[in-house]
Amino acid sequence: MSNRVLPRWRRLDNAAKIFPSNSSLRDSKVFRFTCELKDYVDDVILQSSLDKTMEQFPFYQSVMKRGLFWYYLEESNIRPVVEKESRPPCMPLYDENREKLLFRVLYYNKRISVEMYHTLTDGTGALQFLRTLVYYYLLERYKEEFASNPPLLDYNASWFQKQDDSFQKYYEKPAGTKTLKRKKAFRLKKEFLPDNHLAIIEGKLSLKALLERSRSMGMTITELLTALFIKAIYQEMSLRDRKKPVVITIPVNLRNYFPSETARNFFTVINAGYDFSCQDDSIEAVAAHIRQVFKEELKKEKLREQMNIWSALEHNPFIRLLPLFIKDAILQAASFGMRGKATASFSNVGRVAMPEEMEKYISLFDAFTSPNILQACSCSFGDNYVISFASPFLDHDVECNFFRSLSLMGIEAEIITNKIETEG
């Protein structure tokens, strides 16, 4: 038997395949999760914690390469090294001319951040990575407290479960030739920030207050915030604009519907739209419509059907035989066509849990991504609910409208923003 060790590689999952063809300086397909601690970060301990975390996520130590027919991930010997944050957020990670890991770990003052290229994983996978990293960091940082009785993290999936391609696991060939038809949506036409900068506006508010308000309206938090987002965009529309619906795309974590512990991509999206040209513009009417959309779209069989339609493209024998440069062109055209059918995007990560013994050392978690459209992400830790808007645009009227609407509901937000310096 040969002692030669073959390079280990794996195919991209179904959701990951569209990202390499559509990454750019403006839309890097990179997203960030951050944990803000109550003490300043020790970079030596953070590096040690990262080394331990990589033992739990070894398949993240990969580089992406071009094959004849598909991109693929190949395990690498490049050691991930923590960096003090010094550049704008969500800078590109993939470079076809240079072998690089598809994630980075950053620290600044009291914040630990993980940035991921979407080809590697989705928000749930990245969050599990960050939770594991923070867990090991706090174990070492406060080892006197935890040495005798270390708490347990509630994510103990095996290596095989973490690297599972759940799209393949649950794929069923769809009956017929259904396609996903979407109407053209209203698009925000605003001046872009220079040099591909990204504006981040975060609002920190009380989860308890938000939950009480949403329950009083018979809605979930995601439904309420989606309705407020749509109404905030409506306030910026001209009469002529109102002929097109406002459409918010919402990622759905398929792990909530199909058992999976994968740390790779496993999500789909639903579309929550509202047509102000033929429907009432009150927040009550928008909220009632959005509640019905969620009720209809978030059904297991409907999500399975949508997942199968997208996966069927990957299993199409004709498409499989096309060389990669043709697939790239097809995926770029498909992505361009889909851009006209979404106004903005909203992703609610939900509650972030850590061992109870460690909670006193953590202030909050937050998340955002690098969009080519206005995008909001939210998550909660304890009573701190953080909603983050990431925007490539110069003005922030929609975000102001959104937080103003919350304030009128009696929900005050503490606003934090990065400072973008522009000329003129």
Side-chain angles (χ1 to χ4, degrees), residues 114-350:
V114 173
E115 293 188 343
M116 292 273 185
Y117 185 45
H118 222 322
T119 292
L120 193 62
T121 187
D122 59 14
T124 302
L127 180 58
Q128 297 292 20
F129 182 89
L130 176 59
R131 291 175 68 235
T132 304
L133 176 64
V134 172
Y135 169 77
Y136 282 126
Y137 177 85
L138 293 177
L139 276 186
E140 189 170 347
R141 178 72 172 78
Y142 304 101
K143 56 187 175 183
E144 296 83 3
E145 177 179 348
F146 298 129
S148 59
N149 188 27
L152 298 177
L153 190 65
D154 62 353
Y155 185 57
N156 57 0
S158 70
W159 184 91
F160 294 100
Q161 290 173 319
K162 289 175 184 173
Q163 60 88 43
D164 181 47
D165 184 345
S166 293
F167 286 106
Q168 292 287 350
K169 180 178 180 179
Y170 289 105
Y171 172 71
E172 296 176 353
K173 186 176 180 180
T177 56
K178 291 184 179 180
T179 57
L180 299 173
K181 295 181 180 179
R182 297 176 183 172
K183 190 177 178 180
K184 282 191 175 181
F186 165 69
R187 297 276 290 178
L188 290 163
K189 299 179 179 66
K190 296 175 177 287
E191 184 178 351
F192 284 100
L193 286 162
D195 303 320
N196 302 311
H197 280 303
L198 194 63
I200 309 298
I201 298 178
E202 293 188 337
K204 184 174 74 172
L205 46 134
S206 165
L207 173 62
K208 181 181 178 181
L210 185 59
L211 194 57
E212 287 177 353
R213 185 60 176 172
S214 63
R215 285 175 175 171
S216 72
M217 298 177 68
M219 308 179 72
T220 65
I221 286 176
T222 305
E223 290 167 349
L224 174 60
L225 295 181
T226 301
L228 291 176
F229 199 0
I230 289 174
K231 188 65 185 290
I233 293 170
Y234 166 74
Q235 292 173 259
E236 299 305 307
M237 298 171 72
S238 67
L239 289 174
R240 184 176 58 190
D241 290 332
R242 295 172 191 175
K243 295 177 181 178
K244 293 181 179 179
V246 177
V247 179
I248 308 295
T249 62
I250 300 168
V252 178
N253 180 10
L254 290 172
R255 299 166 185 81
N256 294 332
Y257 300 87
F258 305 93
S260 173
E261 294 289 346
T262 185
R264 300 172 69 181
N265 286 292
F266 194 44
F267 73 98
T268 188
V269 296
I270 64 171
N271 293 280
Y274 195 83
D275 193 338
F276 288 95
S277 68
C278 59
Q279 293 173 286
D280 192 275
D281 65 0
S282 69
I283 187 60
E284 291 78 12
V286 177
H289 177 80
I290 294 305
R291 186 167 58 245
Q292 186 61 32
V293 168
F294 274 65
K295 182 178 178 181
E296 293 174 358
E297 295 294 323
L298 293 178
K299 293 178 179 178
K300 184 174 181 178
E301 288 312 307
K302 189 146 189 180
L303 294 171
R304 184 194 298 275
E305 180 182 275
Q306 183 171 341
M307 179 173 61
N308 287 338
I309 290 171
W310 286 115
S311 296
L313 297 174
E314 177 187 355
H315 291 85
N316 184 301
F318 172 72
I319 292 179
R320 287 168 67 96
L321 291 173
L322 292 175
L324 183 56
F325 74 93
I326 296 180
K327 287 190 179 83
D328 275 343
I330 292 173
L331 290 171
Q332 287 167 5
S335 180
F336 182 80
M338 294 305 294
R339 287 176 196 167
K341 298 175 182 179
T343 308
S345 179
F346 173 48
S347 176
N348 185 2
V349 176

Side-chain angles (χ1 to χ4, degrees), residues 1-7:
M1 180 181 293
S2 172
N3 292 323
R4 184 168 61 94
V5 178
L6 296 174

